[in-house]
Amino acid sequence: MKIAMWSGPRNLSTAMMYAFAQRPDCAVVDEPFYGAYLHETGLDHPMKDQIIAGMETDAEVVAAQCSLVAPTAKPIYYQKHMTHHMLPSFPLGWLADVTNVFLIRHPARVVASYLAKRENPKLGELGYVQQIQIYDRCLAMGQAPIVIDATLFRRNPLENMMKICAALNLENAETMLRWRAGGHPSDGIWAKHWYGAVHQSTGFAGPEADLPDLTGPAATLAKSALPFYLSLYEKRLF
């Protein structure tokens, strides 16, 4: 089984990758299109040069790798993907070869978290528009993608991980809730810039607080992303 988990930034995506990495039957990969995305766009992201030098930058090659079997003999291949990495010129036909899952989070929470790491984000950098486009592409292929809301998941990780595993026809959800602090060997090159909090964790964080009170451009940005989030929220698994 190949699982493509589609998220925007500042979500539960890295913790979810760590959870699947706890399974002895699962190999994981961290944002395989990131190098191609930076190579194509030239955007000035933290550690840009190291990321481009250390990753495959041909999107066609990356797509082929994602549609094939895992790089190990493990039967499950979990792929953590950022929706905004999928530029219009990048292939999407390989989506038919994987089980697609969508991880969503309220844009007010995403914007507040993103601003702590990077100034003046644009809507396209948050991945909401692309997430809908990829979801619709999966529907057009006859798939029924799974949608997970990160905030709702954190209210009861065990119960909700069991629901996710049931939807994926997997067992042993209870083994996926704890991991060692300090990161994972599959972390991307960029981990030391973005993954500080999750590297200190040994499991999923508890329930989130109330929505942050945004003002000015941050509030405007979150409002512009909200319809895309709500469209997928209506289709969530729990």
Side-chain angles (χ1 to χ4, degrees), residues 117-198:
K117 290 288 186 178
R118 185 172 168 82
E119 295 182 354
N120 303 318
K122 307 300 182 185
L123 180 61
E125 295 178 86
L126 302 184
Y128 287 98
V129 177
Q130 300 92 327
Q131 199 166 39
I132 288 290
Q133 293 170 342
I134 296 169
Y135 182 88
D136 287 345
R137 181 67 175 266
C138 293
L139 291 181
M141 291 178 172
Q143 296 186 5
I146 300 167
V147 179
I148 303 163
D149 183 84
T151 299
L152 297 182
F153 175 88
R154 284 174 52 178
R155 292 179 183 176
N156 194 329
L158 174 57
E159 177 181 313
N160 292 323
M161 186 62 80
M162 292 177 67
K163 292 177 181 178
I164 293 169
C165 286
L168 294 169
N169 294 315
L170 299 177
E171 299 180 346
N172 303 317
E174 66 279 359
T175 67
M176 302 169 62
L177 302 180
R178 308 295 296 177
W179 51 81
R180 292 183 180 179
H184 189 271
S186 295
D187 282 346
I189 299 165
W190 52 91
K192 61 184 178 182
H193 178 82
W194 293 101
Y195 293 179
V198 73

Side-chain angles (χ1 to χ4, degrees), residues 187-217:
D187 282 346
I189 299 165
W190 52 91
K192 61 184 178 182
H193 178 82
W194 293 101
Y195 293 179
V198 73
H199 278 181
Q200 297 176 30
S201 72
T202 57
F204 290 103
E208 294 200 270
D210 294 339
L211 287 176
D213 186 16
L214 302 178
T215 59

Side-chain angles (χ1 to χ4, degrees), residues 22-95:
Q22 304 316 300
R23 300 182 60 94
D25 58 356
C26 185
V28 303
V29 64
D30 193 7
E31 302 182 25
F33 283 94
Y34 197 8
Y37 169 77
L38 291 179
H39 181 264
E40 184 74 16
T41 63
L43 291 172
D44 187 21
H45 278 206
M47 305 183 68
K48 168 190 171 183
D49 292 340
Q50 298 97 307
I51 294 168
I52 292 175
M55 298 186 72
E56 175 59 60
T57 58
D58 186 328
E60 294 282 352
V61 174
V62 179
Q65 293 170 344
C66 290
S67 68
L68 297 175
V69 296
T72 69
K74 296 180 178 181
I76 303 171
Y77 185 22
Y78 180 93
Q79 306 167 13
K80 173 193 165 192
H81 292 289
M82 293 286 106
T83 58
H84 63 288
H85 290 171
M86 303 309 296
L87 298 173
S89 61
F90 287 6
L92 289 177
W94 62 275
L95 296 178

